[in-house]
Amino acid sequence: MKKYFMFADCHGDFSALMDALEVAGYDETNPDHQLVGLGDYFGRAARSNSDCVAIWKYLAKGHHVNKPICLRGNHESILLDAIRRRRLSDLDIYNGEHNTFASFAGIYPAQMKYDYQHQFEAAKTMYDCGFVRWLENLFWYFEKKGFVCVHGFLPPECYTMHTPCSSDTLGDYAWNEASWAKTPMEISCFNKANPEGIGKWVIFGHWRATELIWQHTGKELDDGVSFCDSQHKLIGLDNTTVLSSAVGWAVLDEAGNLLRSNCVE
């Protein structure tokens, strides 16, 4: 039976991603293993100026039997905007995108922050090597019988009017808005509209899992764990990697059986 290995929000920390996948038991040579990334792959948690390129090469060009399925997070949108303008704003730097630019330029992040010539050249490199094309072709969601994966949360139409994720009425605008979701508010609305969930797991990243755990259970935990609400079938995998040096993960089969995870309920 095929197993789906999901992770989210590694934000440039290559070693944390590799550690998480090792603990999860992912084997890229196993035809029954499918890797699924939920977005926010690059940026602020990078430990070296090679991390962001290493993550991209692993996801886009690694020796996986099954090509990784990669979703687009809100930070991929931030990164694309910066690359297209060929210049980093102060907000881009706050979000750590200078780490991504520096990784593709092969220089220190501090050199990249306010050097517009370096930024221009890094953007050109990201176009020339195919990185921008890869970013532009990322998916908004991934769905099987027992689960649906997104970045921030489902668009409200999906859980209030039960509009299928594949519906043409959900364009890029709706999905982009969902990637920026205020996830705790969305969860509250989701739970009221669907007291027993929607019949499958909704798996997402984007929002600090320990905050979701605190709101759901009252437990105050350190970062480095994921959130699970089994009643409503919700899983949140953002482990705040920049602080915890950990990446959230979960393993499910196609039917939606949760096999393993680093979740706390």
Side-chain angles (χ1 to χ4, degrees):
M1 181 179 291
K2 198 164 188 177
K3 298 178 181 178
Y4 294 84
F5 293 76
M6 303 160 192
F7 73 92
D9 297 82
C10 55
H11 279 290
D13 193 330
F14 181 65
S15 62
L17 174 60
M18 294 297 99
D19 289 346
L21 296 183
E22 181 178 3
V23 173
Y26 174 65
D27 178 1
E28 65 184 50
T29 68
N30 189 329
D32 291 327
H33 287 197
Q34 175 66 63
L35 187 61
V36 184
L38 274 59
D40 285 8
Y41 308 105
F42 314 105
R44 57 166 57 114
R47 296 184 183 184
S48 76
N49 67 345
S50 63
D51 270 6
C52 294
V53 168
I55 289 172
W56 174 58
K57 287 184 176 178
Y58 179 74
L59 294 176
K61 304 180 180 182
H63 300 294
H64 308 268
V65 172
N66 296 310
K67 182 181 178 181
I69 295 164
C70 296
L71 308 187
R72 178 170 170 171
N74 61 310
H75 278 264
E76 277 68 59
S77 297
I78 292 170
L79 179 57
L80 268 171
D81 286 345
I83 296 170
R84 286 166 177 163
R85 85 173 84 89
R86 293 168 171 77
R87 185 165 174 173
L88 294 166
S89 68
D90 288 341
L91 183 59
D92 294 329
I93 293 169
Y94 170 79
N95 283 313
E97 303 310 338
H98 60 292
N99 287 325
T100 311
F101 272 60
S103 192
F104 279 88
I107 64 176
Y108 292 114
Q111 292 176 273
M112 183 59 69
K113 280 186 176 181
Y114 302 108
D115 189 318
Y116 299 136
Q117 184 62 36
H118 279 324
Q119 292 169 19
F120 183 91
E121 291 170 355
K124 182 178 185 303
T125 297
M126 287 186 269
Y127 271 102
D128 291 345
C129 72
F131 178 61
V132 171
R133 189 179 308 111
W134 182 83
L135 289 173
E136 292 172 336
N137 289 327
L138 297 175
F139 303 106
W140 289 117
Y141 74 95
F142 175 64
E143 186 172 25
K144 302 299 286 186
K145 179 181 178 181
F147 62 84
V148 56
C149 299
V150 292
H151 178 66
F153 207 71
L154 288 169
E157 298 91 331
C158 293
Y159 63 81
T160 56
M161 296 183 290
H162 301 287
T163 302
C165 291
S166 59
S167 173
D168 290 339
T169 63
L170 296 172
D172 284 346
Y173 178 82
W175 281 109
N176 183 60
E177 286 291 296
S179 76
W180 288 88
K182 291 180 173 60
T183 307
M185 182 180 70
E186 297 293 344
I187 288 175
S188 178
C189 295
F190 177 93
N191 290 349
K192 288 177 182 177
N194 304 276
E196 302 301 324
I198 59 171
K200 61 175 60 181
W201 288 98
V202 181
I203 306 168
F204 52 90
H206 181 60
W207 203 275
R208 195 172 189 171
T210 49
E211 181 180 336
L212 301 179
I213 293 168
W214 178 79
Q215 292 178 344
H216 183 62
T217 68
K219 297 177 182 177
E220 295 188 22
L221 303 176
D222 292 332
D223 292 307
V225 294
S226 295
F227 162 76
C228 178
D229 173 357
S230 58
Q231 177 184 341
H232 300 97
K233 302 194 101 172
L234 301 174
I235 293 175
L237 296 179
D238 186 345
N239 282 197
T240 323
T241 303
V242 70
L243 298 178
S244 68
S245 297
V247 171
W249 58 273
V251 185
L252 289 86
D253 63 22
E254 187 167 334
N257 296 306
L258 180 58
L259 305 177
R260 298 186 68 197
S261 74
N262 75 327
C263 291
V264 171
E265 188 162 2

